[in-house]
Amino acid sequence: MKEELIISGRMNPGIDPYLTLWHWPIPLYLFLGGLAAGILFFTALYTILGKEKSMPTAVKWSSFLVPGILTIGLLALFYDLKHQMYFWRLYTTIRFESPMSWGAWVLMLITPLSFLWAGSYLREAIPSWKWKFRFIETVESWVIKNRKPMAWAMIMLSVILGIYTGILLSAFNARPLWNTSILGPLFLVSGLSTGAATIMWMSRDHKERRIMSKIDLLLIGIELFLIVHLIMGFLAGPAVQIEAANLFLGGQFTVSFWVFVIILGLLFPALLEILELSGRKVPVAIPAILILFGGFIFRFIMVEAGQITRYLY
Amino acid sequence: MRYGMAIDTKKCVGCSDCVVACQTENDVPLGYCRDWVTETVAGTYPNVELELRTERCNHCDNPPCVRCCPTGASHVIQGGIVLVTHNECIGCGACIQSCPYDARFSHPNGYVDKCTFCAHLVEKGGQPACVAVCPTKCMFFGDLDDPDSDVSAALKNRRYKALAPEAGTKPQIYYLL
């Protein structure tokens, strides 16, 4: 038997009795960042493939959501900072070893890009729309001419953004639940899946919807595969990681993880999509909402549970 | 030069004087602490063993807090002391998440705060407040690279351990067993 306790009374707020420093803004941001990355990935992909005509929701209409999604995500991040008036310090340096520095800079590039992209399709969505200033029209025509190179930049930035939401957590070796390199690819795939679900939900075109549904099914499959590997990796790891995995295998996050993430967030929507693809009538909103909800809960659980896992006491 | 600390677990009585000395010297806000005392009881009665340790930032040789800091506010100064520059810190909490010792906290003013090894005293040739005040003289501070320093002398003929070395941070506080 071994018992360890702090007898001098360390009760630092947010640190003791266990870490509760990061609350809802962080998982919300991780979810929104992944979602934006997912949508932009498909926007860029189908632009590069030249499918503006057959995939209008993926290329044009879904991209109207992205500036809003990123703005809410950035506001959540800003809200979470404890020394807010110094946030600009992020942009006076580039630190290659820090995932958060990568994230700050990628967001700095991808957010304006998403505004430009959505803005360039505004006149297609609202034909009567008129820009107030001449220079905006100049920018607009430049963007329209350069959509292909912009799409190449966007596809790369969206992959970095999607992966970084996972690496942000996996880089913390002090939290055994996060400290696994599979978290980057897992969050990327989950982000792509939520992006595909959003496009599928928005699409009014039967063919486009079927394509996005098939892609989403594939992504759900990969995600389940990665989650199995995540848990296998933990169970084959050191004591602290076995303990971390046990949070999901009988520990306090068992029900929320298996019910909300695995069953309601992945298996059930996958089943609905299979039924729909085989010709049965399923309202598309149901699998889409479940996937989005599951994606958010997954990040929420990972952030909360990760902060409990530790090396000492 | 490499500053480090050796703490004699056989001499520490767990009085928490080091904690109070630190709070006074460094103006640590009420309800917070940069160092603390831990008691470990191992074994089953009647074969039990008690260990008392005063703990703080380990000023690691491979500090994850410095690596993950997005602004460079967390940095290493001469002698391996890890510090936070207040007006560069955005309070994102990445360094707090990265520390296996939970040695950092969010100061009520917003920035992240932690043990400084009393760098302001050490650079003038003094000792950290916790070491200077210890009534049982169980703490030894100094340059690990200098074989004649207090800390090197303390480590010379004793068995010692570091906390959670498996976390890979190369901690620089040693506990004499």
Side-chain angles (χ1 to χ4, degrees), chain A residues 1 3 5 83 95 98 173 313, chain B residues 39 41 43 55 69 89 167:
Chain A
M1 200 201 80
E3 195 177 84
L5 68 158
H83 214 203
R95 296 186 44 80
S98 162
N173 60 328
Y313 335 119
Chain B
E39 181 187 273
V41 180
E55 297 180 12
C69 178
C89 175

Side-chain angles (χ1 to χ4, degrees), chain A:
Chain A
M1 200 201 80
K2 194 172 176 185
E3 195 177 84
E4 282 188 307
L5 68 158
I6 295 170
I7 52 167
S8 65
R10 187 184 74 178
M11 259 303 151
N12 292 336
I15 313 294
D16 301 301
Y18 52 83
L19 209 57
T20 48
L21 188 74
W22 283 353
H23 296 293
W24 60 267
I26 300 295
L28 177 66
Y29 161 70
L30 296 179
F31 168 69
L32 294 175
L35 176 61
I39 295 175
L40 285 183
F41 178 83
F42 290 111
T43 299
L45 180 70
Y46 286 113
T47 306
I48 291 167
L49 295 176
K51 301 227 166 129
E52 288 92 344
K53 291 262 153 55
S54 58
M55 305 288 284
T57 315
V59 172
K60 301 172 189 173
W61 318 135
S62 64
S63 70
F64 286 125
L65 296 176
V66 179
I69 292 169
L70 285 174
T71 306
I72 297 170
L74 285 170
L75 284 176
L77 271 192
F78 179 72
Y79 172 77
D80 192 67
L81 295 182
K82 308 284 188 299
H83 214 203
Q84 284 163 337
M85 290 305 125
Y86 291 83
F87 80 94
W88 51 272
R89 285 285 185 182
L90 285 170
Y91 298 107
T92 55
T93 176
I94 296 180
R95 296 186 44 80
F96 289 107
E97 283 186 317
S98 162
M100 214 178 263
S101 184
W102 274 85
W105 280 103
V106 167
L107 285 167
M108 186 65 148
L109 297 173
I110 208 166
T111 310
L113 210 54
S114 77
F115 273 93
L116 285 176
W117 190 274
S120 78
Y121 278 114
L122 201 59
R123 283 216 271 201
E124 276 189 47
I126 312 168
S128 61
W129 181 269
K130 283 230 162 54
W131 293 107
K132 278 233 169 76
F133 301 101
R134 260 316 258 292
F135 78 92
I136 299 184
E137 279 172 30
T138 324
V139 173
E140 186 192 31
S141 53
W142 182 86
V143 170
I144 291 171
K145 246 186 271 156
N146 291 290
R147 275 195 184 129
K148 274 265 160 76
M150 271 176 77
W152 277 108
M154 230 152 66
I155 204 164
M156 280 186 279
L157 289 171
S158 65
V159 169
I160 297 176
L161 179 64
I163 281 203
Y164 134 80
T165 58
I167 292 182
L168 177 74
L169 298 183
S170 72
F172 295 130
N173 60 328
R175 312 294 153 203
L177 180 69
W178 295 345
N179 192 211
T180 161
S181 51
I182 223 162
L183 220 55
L186 177 55
F187 275 32
L188 172 67
V189 173
S190 169
L192 292 176
S193 166
T194 52
T198 308
I199 296 168
M200 177 181 85
W201 188 9
M202 280 181 82
S203 178
R204 294 281 161 268
D205 181 274
H206 185 64
K207 256 200 196 137
E208 186 182 26
R209 199 184 279 176
R210 272 181 81 88
I211 292 172
M212 291 323 288
S213 185
K214 276 183 195 160
I215 291 174
D216 199 42
L217 259 179
L218 177 70
L219 290 168
I220 289 176
I222 298 173
E223 206 179 328
L224 284 167
F225 173 80
L226 289 177
I227 287 175
V228 169
H229 274 258
L230 176 84
I231 293 175
M232 267 174 66
F234 283 149
L235 292 178
V240 283
Q241 292 202 317
I242 295 172
E243 234 171 84
N246 283 335
L247 285 176
F248 296 151
L249 304 171
Q252 65 191 98
F253 288 92
T254 309
V255 175
S256 41
F257 180 72
W258 292 97
V259 173
F260 292 111
V261 179
I262 302 293
I263 297 176
L264 286 178
L266 293 169
L267 292 178
F268 189 50
L271 181 73
L272 291 178
E273 283 178 6
I274 291 170
L275 285 178
E276 209 207 353
L277 286 172
S278 63
R280 255 163 267 223
K281 246 195 136 30
V282 179
V284 68
I286 299 178
I289 289 172
L290 285 173
I291 288 163
L292 290 168
F293 179 72
F296 174 66
I297 295 292
F298 181 43
R299 284 156 181 82
F300 195 82
I301 290 175
M302 285 304 283
V303 169
E304 289 288 317
Q307 293 185 93
I308 295 177
T309 59
R310 49 171 48 180
Y311 277 90
L312 290 170
Y313 335 119

Side-chain angles (χ1 to χ4, degrees), chain B residues 30-140:
Chain B
L30 204 64
Y32 293 79
C33 56
R34 292 181 179 182
D35 57 350
W36 58 95
V37 180
T38 305
E39 181 187 273
T40 302
V41 180
T44 325
Y45 181 83
N47 300 311
V48 282
E49 221 175 288
L50 176 90
E51 183 180 281
L52 287 159
R53 298 186 305 265
T54 161
E55 297 180 12
R56 64 200 35 64
C57 168
N58 278 272
H59 297 273
C60 304
D61 245 358
N62 178 23
C65 48
V66 172
R67 212 183 320 130
C68 72
C69 178
T71 66
S74 278
H75 62 286
V76 184
I77 62 166
Q78 207 201 3
I81 299 178
V82 177
L83 295 180
V84 181
T85 310
H86 294 170
N87 63 8
E88 283 179 19
C89 175
I90 61 172
C92 66
C95 55
I96 297 178
Q97 299 286 358
S98 79
C99 177
Y101 307 101
D102 288 333
R104 291 170 166 247
F105 58 85
S106 186
H107 191 282
N109 289 350
Y111 47 79
V112 167
D113 203 19
K114 66 183 278 298
C115 160
T116 60
F117 260 175
C118 283
H120 61 292
L121 301 175
V122 170
E123 68 186 7
K124 290 184 203 134
Q127 292 206 313
C130 52
V131 176
V133 81
C134 180
T136 65
K137 302 209 171 4
C138 79
M139 302 170 74
F140 306 91

